[in-house]
Amino acid sequence: MSELVPGGNLALPGGAVTVRVPGPFDVSALITGDSGKVGGDGDFVFYNQPAAPGAVLRGDTLTVDPAGLRTGATRVTVAVSASDPGTALGRLPSPTLHVADATGRPLTRFTPPRPRQETVLLLAELYRRGDRWKLRALGQGYADGLAGVARDFGVDVVDDTTASGPGSAAGAPGARPGPLDGGARQAAFAPPAPDPDGFVALVNSARAEAGSPPAALDSRLASAAREHAAAMAMTGRLGIESRDGVSVYQRVTGAGYAYLTIGEHLVSGPRSPAEFVAYCLRTDTARRTLLDPAFTHTGPAHVHDGPSGDTYWTALWAGPFTPDGLRATASAVTDLTNRERARAGLPPLAVDPLLTTAAQAHSADMVARAFYSHTAPDGGQPWDRAAQAGSTRRSIGENIACGQRSPADVVAGWMNSPGHRANILKPGFTHIGVGFAGGGRAGTYWTQLFGA
């Protein structure tokens, strides 16, 4: 598999291809002809309009079948923006575009230079040359949001204020919300109102008794739960990772839910939501997950099919990713680290924004490129990443971890490991940067970068 640089291109095989951008991002696409303009609003594929002829968006993955595109279409431009509207991409992990053929075989990958104040990046374009299709890496940034990109490509964008102005009531003749209407954006990700099995009512009754806030049903978590429960039922085996090599956490991010904290119940046997919740409340670890106040969303599913005839359950619990939440998580890791240094009679470490940038990039990179190591697939080392972020510190050290669910868990794990403990308690270190990313096979990836 190749790695593209801005301006680089790759000939695509015949048939459909998929482009995927994991993480706290929204993927969108604009279908144009040689003029570079859309033929109409239907040529804009995004979260609230996820399909057009030849292009379908599911979660973080866009599938493009060039043969199925509308007549006259010669280009599909892929854009990425923050899932949290208005967030500058520089505050998030660097987006990485993964391209695969119709069989899922990886073709190429592209990580653009780290954005700063841009809120949208044009990552790549699929374009026709003669009778062949190619892909070109772009990395062009926009600071005025997805609406600005859409307008440049000729999409008719209607503001909320215009649509709801005098004499223009919602649903009235002539009042048409544009494809980027803010209310429609929220509706696309709103949890479904019905709870036909009564699962959420049972759960929230138990959470209320424990003093925990209610959890809302989330359609993305429920979709990921259904996929995982079905995969377990087909093999007759419980597990975080199904036989196809996909973990439940990858299913969550694939469904479009970016999280800061995640939990799961993988159970076989209970025949109803009441039996399932009763089972969870009887078991210490399962009870702690069900009642954890950090989880604000849930998505349950159960599947009866499969060779064994058993009922397989997946219940997912999560707290959503937000920039403020990421900062709070990193700050908690730093505070706990400094608490350990204080116990050892050492001065606290100061937060270094450049080390933070490098640490965050490494956590996101481990998720995006599916590895777990101090050495990146391209050979990069901790000191290389620090220098790339602009740091000039003379001495660099790094701790990494994966799978821990909280700052307290990850710091405790590092302190129980002699090598990681030595970094935390090294007298010569004066500064720290912390990174965190959710997703990948392990679910959570943590990085501490130390400097002097």
Side-chain angles (χ1 to χ4, degrees), residues 286-352:
R287 178 184 177 88
R288 285 196 297 271
T289 298
L290 189 145
L291 301 180
D292 192 330
F295 298 138
T296 57
H297 294 106
T298 184
H302 58 281
V303 174
H304 300 283
D305 301 329
S308 69
D310 289 339
T311 301
Y312 283 80
W313 290 79
T314 298
L316 295 169
W317 311 84
F321 176 94
T322 64
D324 287 344
L326 178 62
R327 284 190 291 271
T329 297
S331 178
V333 171
T334 300
D335 290 345
L336 290 165
T337 298
N338 281 334
R339 195 174 302 172
E340 297 294 343
R341 287 177 65 88
R343 290 194 182 107
L346 297 170
L349 301 171
V351 174
D352 183 319

Side-chain angles (χ1 to χ4, degrees), residues 13-275:
V17 295
T18 62
V19 294
R20 176 173 175 260
V21 185
F25 306 107
D26 285 334
V27 177
S28 54
L30 295 120
I31 302 166
T32 61
D34 291 335
S35 67
K37 299 294 185 179
V38 299
D41 289 355
D43 281 347
F44 186 23
V45 178
F46 69 119
Y47 38 74
N48 208 31
Q49 185 171 275
V56 177
L57 178 65
R58 292 187 179 91
D60 61 3
T61 302
L62 174 75
T63 301
V64 178
D65 181 5
L69 295 171
R70 65 165 175 82
T71 301
T74 58
R75 185 180 305 167
V76 179
T77 303
V78 180
V80 66
S81 55
S83 297
D84 186 10
T87 299
L89 291 171
R91 299 168 63 188
L92 302 177
S94 295
T96 296
L97 181 79
H98 299 258
V99 184
D101 66 13
T103 69
R105 178 176 63 92
L107 297 174
T108 192
R109 180 169 50 214
F110 171 55
T111 302
R114 185 172 182 82
R116 296 183 181 276
Q117 295 305 311
E118 297 91 339
T119 56
V120 180
L121 280 180
L122 303 186
L123 278 183
E125 62 179 5
L126 290 76
Y127 63 100
R128 190 174 67 196
R129 281 292 179 268
D131 59 352
R132 297 293 304 274
W133 281 78
K134 304 180 75 173
L135 180 137
R136 179 185 293 116
L138 298 176
Q140 176 187 347
Y142 279 72
D144 53 350
L146 200 55
V149 176
R151 288 189 183 96
D152 278 2
F153 280 77
V155 177
D156 181 18
V157 178
V158 179
D159 293 334
D160 288 342
T161 53
T162 302
S164 59
S168 186
R176 181 181 59 84
L180 288 182
D181 176 74
R185 163 65 171 109
Q186 293 186 7
F189 289 133
D195 177 23
D197 293 332
F199 176 88
V200 174
L202 289 167
V203 163
N204 285 335
S205 175
R207 288 172 68 88
E209 289 184 15
S212 297
L217 189 65
D218 187 277
S219 59
R220 296 159 294 177
L221 294 178
S223 174
R226 279 193 299 273
E227 287 186 7
H228 201 73
M232 292 192 301
M234 287 303 295
T235 59
R237 182 176 67 89
L238 297 173
I240 291 293
E241 190 171 297
S242 53
R243 188 168 290 177
D244 58 6
V246 180
S247 79
V248 68
Y249 314 117
Q250 290 169 309
R251 298 187 196 280
V252 170
T253 54
Y257 191 104
Y259 58 83
L260 271 175
T261 183
I262 189 81
E264 73 286 330
H265 290 120
L266 308 177
V267 178
S268 64
R271 293 163 296 178
S272 68
E275 288 186 11

